[in-house]
Amino acid sequence: MNEHPRLTSLAHGGGCGCKLAPSVLRELLAGQPVAQAFPQLLVGTETSDDAAVWQVDDNTCVIATTDFFMPMVDDPRDFGRIAATNAISDIYAMGGRPIMALAILGMPIDKLPPEQIRQILEGGREICAEAGIPVAGGHSIDAPEPIYGLAVIGLCHPSELRRNADARPGDALILTKGLGVGIYSAAIKKGALDAEGLAEMVASTTTLNRVGSDLAKRDDVHAITDVTGFGILGHGLEIARGSGLRLRIDLASLPLLTRASELAQAGFFTGASTRNWAAYRSEVLLPEGLPDWQRALLTDPQTSGGLLVACAPETAETVLQMIRAAGFPLAAIIGHAEEGSAGITVA
C-alpha cells in the first residue's frame, strides 16, 4: 500500500499560527513610509487593519487582501476550504463583498500526489463558489512545505467601509465565533482530538463571515475586525490602539469551542500563543493569579476566526441577535470600550 504523509506532518506550523509574532511584524514594518502621497488609499498599513482599501469614486471602494498558510488539518479538501474561508474573511471584516479571488499555491510536489493537491484547490473553489466568486487565476511554486491561500478583491460603498480604528467610548464588543481553534490544532498534531472535535473545528473555520457585509450597513456598528493569528487579545489591541481606547473584556463571557478549556488545561498550547503573549503582555492587564491555560485561550491563534464588532451599547442586543440569526450561535457580547490608555483589561 502506498501511504502518503499526513498534511500536518509536512509543515512546521499550521493555519494562522504560522503568522509572524506581532513584535516581529512591527519591527519589520517600522520605518516603512506612510501612504500620505496617495489620498485615495483609505486604509493601508497604519492601523494593522484587515485589508487595503482604495477609493475609486464617490460610490466605490476596492478592497484587496491576501492570506495563506500551511495545513492545520490532514484532509486536503478541508485544508483548502479553511484557507479560502479565512482569506475571504478580510473582505467581510472591512464591510465589503468579495468579487473574485486568485489562488496562491506552494506544494512539495515530490511528497504529495497530484490528487491531494487537486483536492486542496477544489476545497478552495468550493468555498469561493459559496461566497459567489470565481477563482480567476493564481500562482504556484514547488515549495518544501504545503502552502495554500487566496488573494481576494472586494468592493464596498465608502459609507459602509468599517475600519478597526473607529470604535467609540461605550461601544459594546461582540465576538461572533468561539475561541480555541489553535488549541484544537495543537491537539490534532498530537492525535488527541476526536472526530467530533475535528468536525466542530472544521464547521467553525469554514463558516463564511459574510455577516460583516450586512453589519456594515448599520450606522450603529462602528468598527469590525476578524480574529485570527494574534488571538482575541492581539486583534482587540489593534482596535484599542487604532481607536485610542481601552477595551474591557469579560473572561466569563468569551464563547469557546466545546473542548477548548479541557484541552487548554491539558497543555495543548501552540508556540504562536506563547509568542503572542510575549509580544503584547505590556499592554494587557489580566486578573491576578490567572492560570496559564486561561491566558492561553486569550492568546490562542484563531484560523478563520470570528469577527470582533464594536457597536453602540443601546443596540448591542439587536446586533447580537442579527449575528446569531445569520448562523453564528456562539456569538456573544464580551465587553466594552471606554476612555483610557490604549490597551486591554480582562476581568
Side-chain angles (χ1 to χ4, degrees):
M1 182 181 293
N2 183 21
E3 288 289 338
H4 300 302
R6 293 173 57 194
L7 276 179
T8 53
S9 73
L10 298 174
H12 73 277
C16 287
C18 300
K19 292 177 75 167
L20 295 176
S23 57
V24 174
L25 187 59
R26 285 200 298 271
E27 181 180 355
L28 293 176
L29 294 177
Q32 293 291 319
V34 295
Q36 291 177 341
F38 301 93
Q40 289 169 287
L41 184 65
L42 301 186
V43 181
T45 61
E46 58 280 349
T47 60
S48 303
D49 218 325
D50 298 296
V53 181
W54 184 274
Q55 184 167 359
V56 177
D57 55 38
D58 290 343
N59 296 307
T60 309
C61 289
V62 174
I63 308 170
T65 186
T66 183
D67 215 317
F68 53 89
F69 46 63
M70 291 170 280
M72 55 184 289
V73 293
D74 291 311
D75 183 278
R77 174 175 164 269
D78 283 343
F79 172 38
R81 294 169 66 220
I82 292 167
T85 306
N86 179 74
I88 297 170
S89 178
D90 288 340
I91 302 296
Y92 295 132
M94 302 302 300
R97 58 179 181 84
I99 59 170
M100 70 173 180
L102 303 174
I104 299 166
L105 183 74
M107 289 290 145
I109 58 175
D110 60 331
K111 297 175 183 176
L112 284 178
E115 176 56 29
Q116 280 193 302
I117 300 173
R118 280 196 295 269
Q119 289 177 35
I120 293 169
L121 293 170
E122 182 54 37
R125 280 193 294 266
E126 180 182 322
I127 289 296
C128 286
E130 185 179 337
I133 64 173
V135 179
H139 186 65
S140 60
I141 62 169
D142 184 2
E145 296 179 286
I147 297 169
Y148 176 68
L150 301 174
V152 191
I153 302 298
L155 300 174
C156 75
H157 190 279
S159 67
E160 295 174 2
L161 174 62
R162 291 297 180 270
R163 301 172 176 87
N164 66 359
D166 294 330
R168 303 177 187 178
D171 274 356
L173 302 173
I174 299 174
L175 181 61
T176 65
K177 289 185 182 181
L179 301 173
V181 175
I183 289 166
Y184 274 41
S185 299
I188 289 173
K189 276 273 192 180
K190 297 183 179 180
L193 188 67
D194 58 19
E196 186 177 357
L198 177 61
E200 180 190 21
M201 188 189 80
V202 171
S204 177
T205 55
T206 57
T207 297
L208 287 163
N209 282 327
R210 67 172 90 227
V211 70
S213 300
D214 297 324
L215 291 170
K217 293 178 171 59
R218 299 182 60 105
D219 291 338
D220 54 356
V221 171
H222 304 141
I224 305 175
T225 193
D226 65 349
V227 178
T228 55
F230 300 152
I232 184 64
L233 290 186
H235 294 285
L237 276 171
E238 290 172 346
I239 288 182
R241 294 182 194 125
S243 305
L245 297 173
R246 190 152 198 93
L247 305 191
R248 289 195 174 267
I249 292 178
D250 178 17
L251 185 62
S253 297
L254 290 172
L256 302 175
L257 297 181
T258 304
R259 295 188 61 196
S261 292
E262 168 202 341
L263 291 169
Q265 290 180 70
F268 289 100
F269 306 165
T270 65
S273 176
T274 302
R275 293 193 298 272
N276 283 343
W277 178 241
Y280 49 61
R281 61 185 302 167
S282 64
E283 300 171 88
V284 177
L285 180 62
L286 298 180
E288 187 175 354
L290 187 74
D292 287 348
W293 69 266
Q294 283 191 294
R295 190 192 71 205
L297 290 168
L298 295 167
T299 59
D300 187 50
Q302 304 306 290
T303 300
S304 193
L307 299 177
L308 180 58
V309 180
C311 69
E314 62 271 16
T315 57
E317 282 294 336
T318 299
V319 174
L320 176 63
Q321 294 309 315
M322 172 186 168
I323 293 169
R324 288 178 175 171
F328 299 87
L330 295 182
I333 298 172
I334 65 166
H336 66 276
E338 63 186 25
E339 298 280 5
S341 59
I344 294 180
T345 298
V346 180

